[in-house]
Amino acid sequence: MDAALLLALGLLAQSLCLSVGVPGLRRPHTLYPWHRMPAPGRVRRAWVIPPISVSENHKRLPFPLVQIKSDRQQLGSIIYSIQGPGVDEEPRGIFSIDKFTGKVSLNAVLDREKTDRFREVFTGRVLEGAVPGTYVTRAEATDADDPETDNAALRYSILEQGGPQLFSIDPHTGEIRTVQVGLDREAVAVYNLTLQVADMSGDGLTATALAVITLEDVNDNAPEFTRAQFFLEATEAVSGVDVGRLEVEDRDLPGSPNWVARFTILEGDPDGQFAIRTDPRTNEGVLSVVKPLDYESREHYDLKVAAQNEAPLQAAAPRAERGQARVSVQVRDVNEAPVFQQNPLRTSLAEGAAPGTPVATFSARDPDTQQPQRLSYSKDYDPEDWLQVDGATGRVQTQRVLSPASPFLKDGWYRAIILARDDASPPSTATGTLSVEILEVNDHAPELSPPWGSLCSTPEQGSGLLLGATDEDLPPHGAPFHFQLSPRLPELARNWSLSQVNVSHARLRPRLQVREGLHRLSLLLQDSGQPPQQREQPLNVTVCRCGLDGACLPGAAALRAGGAGISLGALVIVLASIILLLLLALLVALLVRCRQQSCDKRLLHGLQDDLRDNILNYDEQGGGEEDQDAYDMDQLRHPAELAALGAPLGRPSLRRDAPFGRSHPQAPRVLPTSPSDIADFINEGLEAVDSDPAVPPYDTALIYDYEGDGSVAGTLSSILSSLGDEDADYSCLWDWGPRFARLADLYGPREGTREEAF
């Protein structure tokens, strides 16, 4: 689209003007092509200005528009300049002119939707509803002609108002004023006036301009509700939630104080449970619940609300027909959580309370009176597991003694959390805090600290013995302490004096010179609790010989050290511990001895009872897991046990010279009943083994593995060596002691023969 860009050389000072000057003159004159010389000698020049138009969004910049020149132009005789909107007024820098040639160029991209032409615009503002004669704005124009002539006599007029004649302009001053009532911004917000100025008292050359008059808003329209009554619903037992919106209309300028509505609840909310705020975007009233509603107390609310603007309404403005409305709020019933009657619940209990001591009854009530429900109670937080809660009544009692050193006792307070739950579906739960103050009880007597010391043997020397006391109880059941020599021993008061130093210390002195050495005194200490606790305690005092400075002499150091020994009770404990350790050591030794004897009896039932048990099997060396040629010794050891278990005696047939499957189970053998039958028992066993095809003979060589011929080393098998021409010599069995005498008698030479050999 083409944008007609009018480069008007007008009479108005703010218009886009052309100025020319003659070189050498100090100030150029602004020339207008329609001016004529009023007097002889003044030369009027005619300007050649073709129409100027250009397409919007032109990309080739700068773009030449037109050349302005005089009909009598001489080279170098005229300097051109332009001014007005698009040059030195907003938007600036769009047009420029070559001061020597008069060529006008476009320097920026044009947008017709923003500016369709460049001409002078006057602006003015006036309040809507202004009275006739109210000043709006002023139009100004200049003429370069001689002001003393009629050529410079300018006259202003309004060519077009676009509606009723609401404005007028003073023809001489250019002031624009209102001429009648009826300016209503809500009807027409902006008026565009076309102005004209002409010289020669209005009969000469003319120029036009635009005057834009904007009506400013006043609060002449009150907000009105779109409906006379609104119906909303709210849920009980919640707060801080929105219930609904109240729509209003206001014809004033949106966003201005004349448009913003403020809402007020006039009736129906005596407890302040509702509030209305304004949505700044839509100007609606948002009704919300600020205090929880209770369906059981009130099921319905009928509110009366009003709306008004932030700015005060004009006195002459009409009153709103629906400036107030009714809001009906229905409360919806829900299952509410139980409510503790006192939360948190604070109570107190004496320290060391026994298990089963009542603490409090932490009960709750169900606000759903129209829906009776059963409540149950439980613990949620009890770090010491100290309390027990009755699930039906909420009665709390102790179930064990709480330690005063518990880390969960903070400044003497113990905190637990109790839950109350109804049986609705789904159930609702309430949380209650139970704080128990543990009251200090005077259950400890003061103690000497330390219960020993030393002092000089004469009253004049030294400062005496400073005694202190401590108490595990907290104030006010501790200090001040009262120190007293035991009333049971009146002789103590004759030899010793005890004076109070402060609330926790006293000083012991001898009344007379006392002998050196250890003195055992007895003191009675009492605290300030209610009731007070007292204890009679021993005090070991070492009396020594002192020097002039009141300190014990070196010769008395050993005596003082001995006197500072342990008490009788501690000595008894140490001795008892030593005796107990000795008894434990003796018991362990007896257990070890008995265990060894039991093992010996199991291996050797006695030499006269069973010869088999005299042979201790320390190891058996076979061919490992792959050995298939070893024999089973169980037949010689416990054949009765194998027979009782029903197991076959020996392993399956392993002899290579016996066919498989020819072994026959043998009847169980009867153990010997006397030592004389042992030899027969062993011989029968050997014969049975030799005749049994399922196992190798008892005295046969055991083949563990074949490693080939030609070994330079001899065999290590003593059994294989017995297969030679000479018999094995068992005479060494006589040297093995009485345990092997019977075996030597069976296999070795007789004792007489052995002696003959020697």
Side-chain angles (χ1 to χ4, degrees):
M1 237 182 198
D2 289 342
L5 303 176
L6 179 61
L7 301 178
L9 302 178
L11 294 173
L12 306 178
Q14 291 83 357
S15 62
L16 184 62
C17 300
L18 174 66
S19 298
V20 298
V22 179
L25 296 180
R26 288 186 295 178
R27 142 173 131 64
H29 296 278
T30 301
L31 303 180
Y32 298 90
W34 54 82
H35 286 184
R36 302 178 183 275
M37 295 297 294
R42 183 178 180 182
V43 179
R44 300 284 303 245
R45 300 190 180 213
W47 296 99
V48 180
I49 305 178
I52 302 175
S53 64
V54 65
S55 299
E56 65 176 341
N57 299 321
H58 206 287
K59 304 300 182 183
R60 288 173 45 194
L61 300 175
F63 180 73
L65 295 178
V66 70
Q67 183 178 12
I68 302 174
K69 61 183 179 178
S70 171
D71 57 351
R72 296 184 179 88
Q73 179 177 355
Q74 298 179 3
L75 183 62
S77 62
I78 297 178
I79 296 177
Y80 299 89
S81 66
I82 57 175
Q83 62 184 21
V87 182
D88 56 356
E89 298 178 13
E90 294 296 336
R92 301 175 182 269
I94 295 180
F95 304 103
S96 63
I97 188 171
D98 189 293
K99 63 180 180 179
F100 298 113
T101 63
K103 293 182 179 180
V104 179
S105 301
L106 174 67
N107 302 320
V109 178
L110 300 176
D111 187 355
R112 186 180 183 279
E113 284 69 24
K114 292 183 178 180
T115 306
D116 61 347
R117 64 179 59 196
F118 289 84
R119 57 185 300 184
E120 174 63 30
V121 177
F122 295 97
T123 60
R125 306 182 74 86
V126 65
L127 293 175
E128 64 173 330
V131 298
T134 302
Y135 174 81
V136 179
T137 187
R138 181 181 180 184
E140 296 180 355
T142 59
D143 195 313
D145 289 323
D146 189 353
E148 301 298 331
T149 64
D150 193 46
N151 293 332
L154 304 179
R155 297 296 182 265
Y156 299 92
S157 62
I158 299 177
L159 298 181
E160 184 181 357
Q161 297 193 27
Q165 303 298 316
L166 301 178
F167 302 94
S168 65
I169 188 170
D170 188 299
H172 298 282
T173 63
E175 291 183 352
I176 301 176
R177 297 177 179 270
T178 61
V179 295
Q180 59 178 331
V181 297
L183 293 177
D184 187 3
R185 191 204 66 83
E186 288 72 34
V188 179
V190 178
Y191 289 89
N192 295 316
L193 308 182
T194 302
L195 307 181
Q196 176 180 281
V197 63
D199 59 5
M200 299 184 67
S201 299
D203 296 331
L205 300 176
T206 62
T208 60
L210 181 65
V212 179
I213 300 176
T214 302
L215 300 187
E216 294 185 343
D217 185 46
V218 297
N219 191 13
D220 56 349
N221 295 280
E224 296 186 1
F225 289 97
T226 58
R227 289 183 290 173
Q229 188 170 6
F230 296 86
F231 296 93
L232 304 175
E233 187 179 52
T235 303
E236 69 166 337
V238 293
S239 61
V241 296
D242 296 338
V243 177
R245 290 176 172 260
L246 311 178
E247 298 178 1
V248 294
E249 293 179 346
D250 195 316
R251 299 177 60 198
D252 290 318
L253 182 64
S256 68
N258 304 326
W259 175 79
V260 177
R262 291 291 180 260
F263 300 87
T264 306
I265 299 177
L266 303 178
E267 298 176 1
D269 186 24
D271 299 328
Q273 294 177 292
F274 298 93
I276 306 178
R277 69 179 187 276
T278 303
D279 188 330
R281 185 178 60 86
T282 63
N283 208 31
E284 296 174 326
V286 182
L287 180 66
S288 61
V289 177
V290 294
K291 294 182 181 179
L293 306 177
D294 185 11
Y295 176 83
E296 287 71 22
S297 301
R298 189 171 180 179
E299 303 178 7
H300 181 267
Y301 290 85
D302 189 11
L303 309 178
K304 182 180 180 180
V305 298
Q308 58 184 8
N309 295 122
E310 286 186 350
L313 189 66
Q314 293 291 323
R319 297 298 172 184
E321 297 181 359
R322 282 192 285 199
Q324 298 180 359
R326 289 282 180 180
V327 180
S328 178
V329 181
Q330 182 66 35
V331 182
R332 184 169 63 250
D333 186 23
V334 296
N335 180 32
E336 300 177 71
V339 179
F340 284 97
Q341 299 177 1
Q342 185 179 356
N343 192 10
L345 177 62
R346 292 182 173 88
T347 185
S348 60
L349 198 66
E351 69 170 343
T357 303
V359 178
T361 299
F362 204 8
S363 60
R365 64 175 181 86
D366 190 355
D368 295 318
T369 57
Q370 299 185 10
Q371 302 177 10
Q373 297 169 347
R374 185 176 61 86
L375 301 182
S376 60
Y377 302 89
S378 61
K379 293 189 304 182
D380 181 62
Y381 178 76
D382 180 15
E384 285 285 357
D385 196 23
W386 176 47
L387 303 175
Q388 182 179 13
V389 181
D390 190 299
T393 63
R395 182 175 178 270
V396 183
Q397 65 180 15
T398 62
Q399 62 180 359
R400 64 185 188 86
V401 177
L402 179 64
S403 172
S406 171
F408 300 100
L409 272 177
K410 305 298 183 181
D411 297 329
W413 287 86
Y414 183 84
R415 175 175 168 269
I417 296 179
I418 309 300
L419 301 180
R421 176 176 297 182
D422 58 25
D423 58 352
S425 181
S428 295
T429 304
T431 301
T433 301
L434 176 62
S435 297
V436 183
E437 182 183 13
I438 306 301
L439 301 177
E440 182 71 20
V441 177
N442 190 19
D443 53 353
H444 295 88
E447 295 182 357
L448 282 174
S449 178
W452 62 80
S454 61
L455 49 74
C456 297
S457 59
T458 59
E460 297 80 12
Q461 289 182 314
S463 58
L465 175 59
L466 184 64
L467 303 176
T470 59
D471 197 324
E472 295 184 15
D473 295 318
L474 298 177
H477 303 296
F481 303 118
H482 177 68
F483 296 82
Q484 180 184 1
L485 294 170
S486 175
R488 297 186 304 101
L489 304 173
E491 64 274 9
L492 294 178
R494 293 194 296 266
N495 298 327
W496 306 90
S497 66
L498 193 61
S499 60
Q500 196 83 22
V501 176
N502 52 31
V503 297
S504 59
H505 290 80
R507 191 177 302 277
L508 179 69
R509 290 177 178 272
R511 292 184 182 273
L512 305 173
Q513 183 171 0
V514 295
R515 62 176 177 83
E516 298 180 10
L518 179 63
H519 293 258
R520 301 185 184 276
L521 309 183
S522 181
L523 271 63
L524 182 65
L525 272 69
Q526 180 177 302
D527 59 22
S528 299
Q530 294 297 328
Q533 292 281 351
Q534 63 181 11
R535 176 185 297 176
E536 187 170 331
Q537 301 179 52
L539 174 63
N540 295 333
V541 179
T542 301
V543 178
C544 62
R545 186 171 59 257
C546 297
L548 296 178
D549 57 352
C552 291
L553 295 176
L559 179 62
R560 184 173 69 253
I566 61 175
S567 62
L568 179 60
L571 182 60
V572 171
I573 294 175
V574 172
L575 293 177
S577 301
I578 295 175
I579 294 174
L580 180 61
L581 291 176
L582 293 176
L583 291 176
L584 290 176
L586 180 60
L587 180 61
V588 171
L590 290 176
L591 291 176
V592 172
R593 181 64 177 173
C594 292
R595 186 172 300 175
Q596 290 179 350
Q597 291 180 356
S598 176
C599 181
D600 292 342
K601 289 182 179 180
R602 185 170 61 251
L603 295 177
L604 298 174
H605 295 288
L607 181 61
Q608 300 299 326
D609 295 335
D610 193 349
L611 183 61
R612 296 173 300 134
D613 296 332
N614 294 332
I615 302 175
L616 302 181
N617 297 314
Y618 293 98
D619 193 9
E620 282 186 19
Q621 296 185 0
E625 295 182 355
E626 301 298 328
D627 181 17
Q628 300 296 325
D629 298 329
Y631 56 89
D632 190 3
M633 292 292 295
D634 289 337
Q635 195 168 15
L636 289 177
R637 292 175 182 169
H638 304 288
E641 296 180 3
L642 295 177
L645 295 175
L649 297 179
R651 300 180 182 178
S653 178
L654 298 177
R655 293 178 57 175
R656 299 175 180 175
D657 58 346
F660 290 96
R662 293 187 179 181
S663 62
H664 300 283
Q666 299 180 2
R669 301 174 61 201
V670 180
L671 295 177
T673 58
S674 63
S676 60
D677 299 333
I678 294 178
D680 297 337
F681 177 81
I682 294 177
N683 292 330
E684 293 176 358
L686 294 176
E687 183 179 358
V689 170
D690 290 339
S691 61
D692 188 357
V695 296
Y698 180 77
D699 55 351
T700 187
L702 302 181
I703 301 174
Y704 294 98
D705 197 5
Y706 179 73
E707 298 180 354
D709 297 329
S711 175
V712 296
T715 179
L716 298 179
S717 175
S718 61
I719 300 178
L720 185 62
S721 62
S722 64
L723 297 179
D725 296 333
E726 298 180 359
D727 293 333
D729 185 12
Y730 295 99
S731 60
C732 62
L733 294 177
W734 294 102
D735 299 330
W736 290 5
R739 289 180 176 270
F740 297 89
R742 183 63 58 88
L743 189 62
D745 184 54
L746 294 175
Y747 290 93
R750 297 295 179 178
E751 187 70 20
T753 308
R754 182 171 175 266
E755 293 177 358
E756 293 176 358
F758 287 98

